[in-house]
Amino acid sequence: MRMTHVLPAALMTLAAAGPALATPCSDEITTLEKRLDSAGAETVTGKEPPGGPTSSHSDKALPQPPGGKPSDPGVAPSAAGIKEARDLVQKARAEDRAGDAQKCRDTILQAKQKAGALP
């Protein structure tokens, strides 16, 4: 087989494998970003996310947040906590790109704690 045929075939194989290269931490980053850009986060911060609030469009999603307050006051969301969580998500993204899965997971855990229980 000539080299001119091998190179394009190898490039197509790599391109097809691209989506399969997602890491567990990148999946957690994406999920947390959706929470931080949700209508519930907008309620807490008073600001609409840059791309507008997201929706899960899930059959299991509640039509509105449940009433009442969290039983643990330490998980109550705040605008400052959401901002810190967004900053931590960016840090986790950099750690994920660097291939440090454990640091990425630790940072995402911190971000989830900072975000609190969003409505």
Side-chain angles (χ1 to χ4, degrees):
M1 185 179 268
R2 293 177 45 190
M3 185 58 97
T4 56
H5 297 293
V6 173
L7 186 58
L11 290 175
M12 287 192 316
T13 302
L14 285 174
L21 298 177
T23 64
C25 197
S26 69
D27 292 342
E28 287 192 50
I29 290 169
T30 301
T31 301
L32 185 54
E33 282 180 323
K34 286 179 184 177
R35 281 185 56 214
L36 295 174
D37 290 339
S38 69
E42 180 182 354
T43 303
V44 173
T45 62
K47 297 170 124 183
E48 184 172 306
T54 60
S55 170
S56 68
H57 299 294
S58 168
D59 297 345
K60 297 178 183 178
L62 298 174
Q64 60 186 3
K69 298 188 185 273
S71 57
D72 180 358
V75 297
S78 68
I82 290 173
K83 182 189 179 322
E84 285 183 66
R86 284 191 173 119
D87 293 342
L88 287 167
V89 165
Q90 295 308 314
K91 179 181 175 186
R93 188 179 304 286
E95 292 166 347
D96 189 45
R97 279 193 296 260
D100 196 338
Q102 188 58 49
K103 274 189 181 176
C104 181
R105 282 191 295 272
D106 291 345
T107 302
I108 283 296
L109 180 60
Q110 287 177 331
K112 288 178 180 179
Q113 291 169 342
K114 294 291 182 183
L118 294 172

